[in-house]
């Protein structure tokens, strides 16, 4: 990954987590609806997928151990 994409990934991830944290800790009654609980849950899941991507691009997968990466990808796709 280039420096620009790393800065972009980390910056957007931090901004996403900040927004989710602000919504979750807000005392505003409108943020206590089922929609925002679902929004928070899916936001955490998307943040975890970005963290997983950042970790995955740091490793070189050889043919012998690429099955683990493929299994994780298929498992992730099957759930969503």
């Amino acid at each position: 990954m280039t420096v620009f994409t790393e800065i972009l990934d980390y910056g957007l991830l931090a901004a996403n987590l900040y927004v989710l944290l602000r919504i979750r800790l807000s005392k505003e009654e409108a943020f206590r609806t089922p929609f925002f609980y679902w929004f928070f849950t899916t936001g955490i899941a998307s943040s975890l997928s970005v963290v997983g991507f950042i970790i995955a691009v740091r490793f070189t997968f050889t043919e012998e151990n690429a099955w683990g990466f493929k299994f994780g990808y298929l498992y992730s796709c099957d759930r969503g």
Side-chain angles (χ1 to χ4, degrees):
M1 286 175 48
T2 65
V3 174
F4 175 71
T5 56
E6 285 188 18
I7 292 171
L8 193 62
D9 281 342
Y10 294 131
L12 291 175
L13 179 62
N16 185 27
L17 292 175
Y18 175 75
V19 167
L20 292 174
L21 184 66
R22 292 291 301 197
I23 288 173
R24 189 69 176 158
L25 297 178
S26 175
K27 302 284 188 220
E28 181 67 36
E29 196 60 36
F31 292 137
R32 302 289 177 212
T33 61
F35 169 78
F36 280 104
Y37 285 123
W38 181 252
F39 182 81
F40 180 77
T41 304
T42 57
I44 292 296
S46 69
S47 296
L48 290 176
S49 70
V50 171
V51 170
F53 174 77
I54 290 171
I55 292 170
V57 297
R58 304 248 186 261
F59 298 104
T60 303
F61 292 99
T62 62
E63 190 174 336
E64 291 82 26
N65 64 4
W67 64 270
F69 181 72
K70 292 175 185 175
F71 178 76
Y73 178 75
L74 290 174
Y75 179 72
S76 172
C77 290
D78 185 41
R79 294 180 40 200

